[in-house]
Amino acid sequence: DVKVTQSSRYLVKRTGEKVFLECVQDMDHENMFWYRQDPGLGLRLIYFSYDVKMKEKGDIPEGYSVSREKKERFSLILESASTNQTSMYLCASTGFLWNSPLHFGNGTRLTVT
Amino acid sequence: QKEVEQNSGPLSVPEGAIASLNCTYSDRGSQSFFWYRQYSGKSPELIMSIYSNGDKEDGRFTAQLNKASQYVSLLIRDSQPSDSATYLCAVTPRGNEKLTFGTGTRLTIIP
């Protein structure tokens, strides 16, 4: 079974802090994704990566950056956290084929105060 | 027009009945279709995938795809209270190569 692990289940940060969300997958997947999910807005893609050191912006990249130094790890960085970044963050991975399903981590509930 | 549309619900169905969830998509060339179930506070989990026209059955779940009419549906037979969740439809549009999600339908099974 594919396992996607997000480092924190709950996180509380202050406005202006730099925040790191970590995600690790154990299936040697090329493609990894970061989404945020908010009530009524569904899943929105922030960034994705199709290979080590490769990244592409999703639909809502503003205020975020990412890092993928190793194939199994994909990090989401909030350079200066703001209250409107309070959300559920979901990491996902999939294999080489783009039409393969996504496998999600357990999510990180981030609250910025 | 949204790329993937679902009725947000809530959809209430009596226990033991058939729950029918619908999803329409805008890109006629879309190739892959998925249904995810998401319990409150949890992450989405894949329950069905379908790639060609017709029906695909897996236990109590049946996915139906009609590419000509651009809709995909999920039927849940013999609904159980444990089926109460939000169901997300996801589609891979042609030329995009990234899954696009609908906003989900909240299903409640009434005992």
Side-chain angles (χ1 to χ4, degrees), chain B residues 32-84:
Chain B
S32 309
F33 307 86
F34 306 92
W35 283 100
Y36 287 82
R37 178 177 62 201
Q38 187 174 24
Y39 292 115
S40 180
K42 303 292 186 183
S43 59
E45 55 178 328
L46 179 72
I47 52 173
M48 290 288 285
S49 59
I50 188 166
Y51 304 96
S52 54
N53 276 330
D55 294 0
K56 180 181 177 182
E57 189 174 315
D58 184 0
R60 295 187 296 110
F61 298 96
T62 299
Q64 299 175 318
L65 175 61
N66 184 322
K67 288 189 176 182
S69 301
Q70 293 175 240
Y71 80 79
V72 55
S73 61
L74 180 70
L75 302 178
I76 307 174
R77 289 183 300 282
D78 187 24
S79 297
Q80 302 297 308
S82 59
D83 295 325
S84 297

Side-chain angles (χ1 to χ4, degrees), chain A residues 44-56:
Chain A
R44 293 183 291 167
L45 181 63
I46 305 171
Y47 266 97
F48 70 100
S49 168
Y50 52 89
D51 203 349
V52 175
K53 297 192 185 295
M54 306 302 285
K55 61 185 179 185
E56 284 198 26

Side-chain angles (χ1 to χ4, degrees), chain B residues 7-50:
Chain B
N7 188 324
S8 62
L11 176 66
S12 296
V13 173
E15 184 175 355
I18 296 175
S20 178
L21 303 162
N22 298 312
C23 172
T24 59
Y25 58 94
S26 60
D27 186 345
R28 185 173 291 276
S30 296
Q31 300 178 28
S32 309
F33 307 86
F34 306 92
W35 283 100
Y36 287 82
R37 178 177 62 201
Q38 187 174 24
Y39 292 115
S40 180
K42 303 292 186 183
S43 59
E45 55 178 328
L46 179 72
I47 52 173
M48 290 288 285
S49 59
I50 188 166

